[in-house]
Amino acid sequence: MSEGRTRAEHYPGPMHRPPVHLEGTHVVHTHGHHPKLQHHFDTMAQQTEASTLGMWVFLVTEIMFFGGLFMCYLVYRTASPEGFAEASHHLNVLWGTVNTLVLIVSSLTMALGVRAAQTSAPPKTQALWIVATMGLGVVFLGVKAIEYIDKFNHHLVPGPYFKWEGKHPATAEMFYSLYFCMTGLHALHMVIGLGIMTVIGVMALRRQFDADYYTPVEVAGLYWHFVDIVWIFLFPLLYLIGGHFTE
């Protein structure tokens, strides 16, 4: 078996047709595709489109998941708007505002990280924006932990030890059930995002991304922006309705 034939048989995929040139009496196939191109794709553009589409499909399922929680919230709030306003009145709007600003800035640093990869910025620059995004995510979780501890100390966690001295104890317990469920799931998504960013940051330091290949950063950015957008909806629904409560 000739050398040319052996190389051709091991070339990944029938649709990939590498350039051919002659060396003496042998036909040599040279690999003209990008080293990051997977064997089941024909071009880098096709691979990028498939990866992006996959993430969008995943995010649609996440939207439906959170959409069910939002619908549940709207139904119970419509049934007892005064009770929800009373319960929300005890949330710390300042902490909620701080966390909102933190996530907005984290979306900016994430976008800058994607841009750094697209423009073949130095690996340290790419990693710096990713680490900044992760740092802001940690700040968000820290603030949320402070809020959770406060709710535990004031016995506002739904269950046998829940205490409420207001006018609507049953509705308040329902409100805080939804509060912990919605913000807890959001925090879980944030923790997962930090794990993803850790992998992306390590890949950036290893010079994995440049102007020809930055799909992982871009896809990870879509996930991070989604988590931020969910909080943009949670903040007014959970925190700001308390301003309408009159004692």
Side-chain angles (χ1 to χ4, degrees), residues 213-233:
Y213 180 70
Y214 54 86
T215 303
V217 189
E218 190 173 45
V219 171
L222 287 176
Y223 176 86
W224 191 269
H225 294 318
F226 167 77
V227 175
D228 292 354
I229 290 173
V230 170
W231 178 258
I232 295 300
F233 283 94

Side-chain angles (χ1 to χ4, degrees), residues 19-42:
V20 177
H21 68 273
L22 298 176
E23 290 186 1
T25 59
H26 297 283
V27 177
V28 180
H29 295 268
T30 59
H31 291 217
H33 64 281
H34 194 281
K36 295 296 183 180
L37 179 63
Q38 301 299 312
H39 68 88
H40 46 282
F41 295 109
D42 295 331

Side-chain angles (χ1 to χ4, degrees), residues 37-220:
L37 179 63
Q38 301 299 312
H39 68 88
H40 46 282
F41 295 109
D42 295 331
T43 63
M44 289 297 291
Q46 184 187 60
Q47 178 173 289
T48 299
E49 290 176 2
S51 301
T52 305
L53 177 61
M55 176 54 73
W56 276 113
V57 171
F58 169 73
L59 293 181
V60 167
T61 65
E62 290 290 286
I63 290 171
M64 292 189 290
F65 178 70
F66 277 100
L69 292 174
F70 284 128
M71 180 58 67
C72 183
Y73 171 89
L74 292 175
V75 169
Y76 281 103
R77 177 179 171 178
T78 302
S80 182
E82 293 183 0
F84 266 54
E86 180 185 19
S88 174
H89 187 66
H90 289 264
L91 293 179
N92 193 315
V93 178
L94 176 61
W95 283 129
T97 303
V98 169
N99 263 351
T100 301
L101 294 176
V102 166
L103 287 190
I104 290 175
V105 176
S106 76
S107 281
L108 172 62
T109 56
M110 185 68 247
L112 291 173
V114 174
R115 182 59 180 169
Q118 291 175 334
T119 56
S120 300
K124 290 185 178 180
T125 302
Q126 298 180 29
L128 176 63
W129 290 120
I130 300 300
V131 170
T133 302
M134 293 176 61
L136 292 168
V138 171
V139 171
F140 175 89
L141 292 176
V143 171
K144 184 53 61 182
I146 293 174
E147 290 189 272
Y148 279 5
I149 292 172
D150 178 73
K151 301 301 175 290
F152 274 93
N153 291 338
H154 288 85
H155 302 284
L156 296 179
V157 180
Y161 300 104
F162 183 83
K163 294 182 180 179
W164 189 260
E165 299 178 356
K167 302 177 182 178
H168 308 276
T171 303
E173 187 170 10
M174 174 56 66
F175 173 85
Y176 280 103
S177 296
L178 290 170
Y179 168 81
F180 279 103
C181 183
M182 298 171 81
T183 59
L185 285 172
H186 178 266
L188 176 61
H189 280 72
M190 180 64 68
V191 171
I192 294 173
L194 289 175
I196 294 173
M197 290 304 147
T198 300
V199 175
I200 295 297
V202 172
M203 293 177 68
L205 285 176
R206 293 179 177 178
R207 303 176 182 273
Q208 297 291 309
F209 308 126
D210 54 31
D212 294 325
Y213 180 70
Y214 54 86
T215 303
V217 189
E218 190 173 45
V219 171

